[in-house]
Amino acid sequence: MAGSSAAAPGAASSSPAAPAPEPPKTVGEFFGRTRPILDYRLRYELVDQQGPLPVVDHAHAVTSRLRAGFETAPLLDTRLLAEGEWSLAVVEHYNDTTNDEVWYPVVADPETIELNRLQLANASIPQTTVTLGRQRITLDDQRFFGNVGWRQNEQTMDSLRVENKSVRDLTINAAYVIQVNRVFGNRSRQQDEDGDTAALHFAYPTPLGTLSMFGYWVEFESRDQFSSQTYGLRFAGKKSFEPVIAHYAASYAVQADAYDYRAAAPLAGDDYVAHYFLGEAAVEWKGLRGGLSYEYLGADDGDQAFQTPLATLHKFQGWADKFLTTPGNGVADLYIPIQYLFGDAGMLEKITAQAIYHTFDSAAGDMDYGDEIDVQLATTIKGVTVTLKYADYFADEFATDTRKAWVSFEYVL
């Protein structure tokens, strides 16, 4: 699902291991090869949410986000990356989770000035990159590890990460995370998450696609009910049958409780086991791409559902964001995505239209949650990406009718 992440879907990492470049020979060359980082986004977001709460049905948010920093040339096979982030509310008729405007619907883009990334990446070991510090971590389609790039304040992680490519065609990622810096900023009551979280991910390309195997051990000290251990497989690829291209993906994972957190969450019940399935199939022809997909997040007797708290959640189960936390009965999402690449038209480059229809049901309990229609139109004008986006959720047995709309302008150096 496009338009929701700064990193490309399917990417195994944001900083792939590569042969170490020649170190700079002079101070002038060192600074000359230092890469500036600049990412500016201005966005309007409308939320129309029916129901008894919030008191005001409509929220209007105009927000501005600037990321600026640098990445140095390698010195002793080590690069330093530093990046700050400044998010500003220009029009603040919304609940950002920190401003006490609780009568408005939530738009999770609070004002904040903070350190977004600060990392040292060392490549002195052959075919290996070791990254230490506050960093962006994205794995596969970001269903389990993502940076939540759609929000103004992205999700980063204080982590030690090792990426190794010493075995032919195999990429191994291992990460140990002590803090998750969430999108709500450093002033929110929904604070950053401390804990001992670990990830182990293997990616192996084949002629038909990439096979991934993974294990994720998540610990949230402040929200114990989201602590879990997850093991799974994913296969994704494409095959050309001129003039048609077939796209496909399949994933399975099983999740269980971890870290003995049940003692702190007695209402959640005893030990649980929940399953995850994903199947995607699409056909592309002359810029038109359409398909049929199904995603299932199961539940253990309607008690505890499969959760992915570190994901780029906006990419999945509808842009209205009604299922950021999986309901106790789980979610079964049958969706039909359609996309068309128009190409260029004068000043407009890479004009792309997208529409997705979702129908949501419970994984347990035979509930019809509702339906959703998402549409997006995006283009680039002289280096500025312009995005028009709309989501309309029609509630049946879960949540309330919700409509959201966005107009976004973004420039990346």
Side-chain angles (χ1 to χ4, degrees):
M1 301 180 192
S4 58
S5 172
S13 75
S14 56
S15 303
E22 289 293 324
K25 296 180 175 59
T26 65
V27 174
E29 184 183 353
F30 176 81
F31 285 104
R33 288 170 56 185
T34 294
R35 178 180 67 92
I37 298 172
L38 181 65
D39 185 339
Y40 177 75
R41 181 197 284 159
L42 177 67
R43 181 160 67 201
Y44 168 73
E45 180 168 344
L46 164 69
V47 180
D48 177 6
Q49 181 173 308
Q50 304 302 311
L53 291 174
V55 177
V56 181
D57 290 342
H58 292 74
H60 299 272
V62 178
T63 56
S64 167
R65 188 261 286 133
L66 174 65
R67 291 189 197 132
F70 62 88
E71 184 179 29
T72 68
L75 186 61
L76 300 178
D77 294 322
T78 303
R79 294 177 181 268
L80 169 65
L81 186 152
E83 179 187 62
E85 187 171 67
W86 176 33
S87 296
L88 176 67
V90 181
V91 175
E92 199 174 4
H93 301 312
Y94 67 100
N95 176 10
D96 71 2
T97 76
T98 70
N99 60 1
D100 295 324
E101 303 282 350
V102 294
W103 43 84
Y104 287 112
V106 170
V107 176
D109 288 327
E111 288 191 315
T112 182
I113 299 176
E114 61 184 69
L115 181 67
N116 191 51
R117 290 187 289 169
L118 181 63
Q119 64 186 56
L120 288 170
N122 180 272
S124 58
I125 302 173
Q127 298 297 311
T128 302
T129 299
V130 180
T131 306
L132 176 65
R134 182 163 296 183
Q135 56 189 287
R136 177 187 297 149
I137 299 179
T138 62
L139 298 171
D140 288 327
D141 59 349
Q142 302 188 41
R143 194 42 166 127
F144 297 93
F145 263 76
N147 69 316
V148 198
W150 174 248
R151 297 263 55 105
Q152 298 286 47
N153 177 29
E154 73 172 332
Q155 176 172 277
T156 58
M157 301 184 186
D158 296 348
S159 174
L160 172 64
R161 182 179 182 188
V162 179
E163 184 179 55
N164 179 270
K165 293 187 175 183
S166 58
V167 178
R168 183 178 178 181
D169 294 332
L170 178 66
T171 300
I172 303 173
N173 268 277
Y176 172 67
V177 180
I178 61 171
Q179 179 170 290
V180 179
N181 308 294
R182 304 178 69 209
V183 301
F184 303 101
N186 49 24
R187 295 187 297 124
S188 176
R189 288 181 290 273
Q190 302 188 52
Q191 69 272 18
D192 299 339
E193 295 288 354
D194 296 327
D196 297 309
T197 291
L200 184 60
H201 182 279
F202 302 85
Y204 186 81
T206 75
L208 294 178
T210 298
L211 175 64
S212 301
M213 297 186 296
F214 52 84
Y216 304 130
W217 300 265
V218 176
E219 181 187 36
F220 280 3
E221 291 183 356
S222 64
R223 296 189 299 162
D224 292 339
Q225 68 272 25
F226 289 103
S227 297
S228 64
Q229 51 184 320
T230 303
Y231 308 91
L233 298 166
R234 174 180 168 84
F235 183 79
K238 62 181 180 179
K239 181 70 173 178
S240 178
F241 303 92
E242 288 292 344
V244 173
I245 301 174
H247 299 261
Y248 41 83
S251 185
Y252 168 76
V254 59
Q255 183 176 95
D257 59 295
Y259 300 98
D260 297 324
Y261 76 87
R262 290 292 170 175
L267 295 181
D270 298 324
D271 298 346
Y272 80 96
V273 176
H275 300 271
Y276 171 87
F277 303 95
L278 171 72
E280 295 181 335
V283 175
E284 181 180 348
W285 177 72
K286 294 185 178 180
L288 176 64
R289 176 172 170 172
L292 181 66
S293 302
Y294 181 77
E295 186 181 41
Y296 174 96
L297 282 76
D300 190 339
D301 297 326
D303 167 53
Q304 175 71 17
F306 197 107
Q307 303 289 345
T308 60
L310 299 180
T312 295
L313 292 165
H314 182 77
K315 285 185 61 180
F316 303 92
Q317 299 177 346
W319 298 337
D321 290 338
K322 306 308 292 185
F323 300 96
L324 297 182
T325 298
T326 308
N329 285 326
V331 179
D333 176 15
L334 178 67
Y335 56 101
I336 302 172
I338 300 174
Q339 180 175 294
Y340 185 71
L341 175 62
F342 290 92
D344 302 342
M347 295 175 57
L348 306 181
E349 302 175 2
K350 300 177 181 177
I351 306 171
T352 304
Q354 184 176 12
I356 307 172
Y357 170 75
H358 296 263
T359 180
F360 301 105
D361 296 291
S362 63
D366 194 26
M367 297 175 62
D368 180 1
Y369 286 154
D371 303 279
E372 181 169 327
I373 297 173
D374 299 328
V375 293
Q376 176 179 284
L377 182 64
T379 187
T380 301
I381 305 174
K382 294 185 176 181
V384 177
T385 299
V386 181
T387 303
L388 307 177
K389 190 169 175 177
Y390 177 76
D392 199 342
Y393 174 75
F394 305 91
D396 191 347
E397 296 181 76
F398 181 79
T400 60
D401 292 348
T402 301
R403 285 164 289 279
K404 295 186 179 183
W406 301 266
V407 182
S408 179
F409 305 87
E410 184 168 9
Y411 174 79
V412 180
L413 183 64

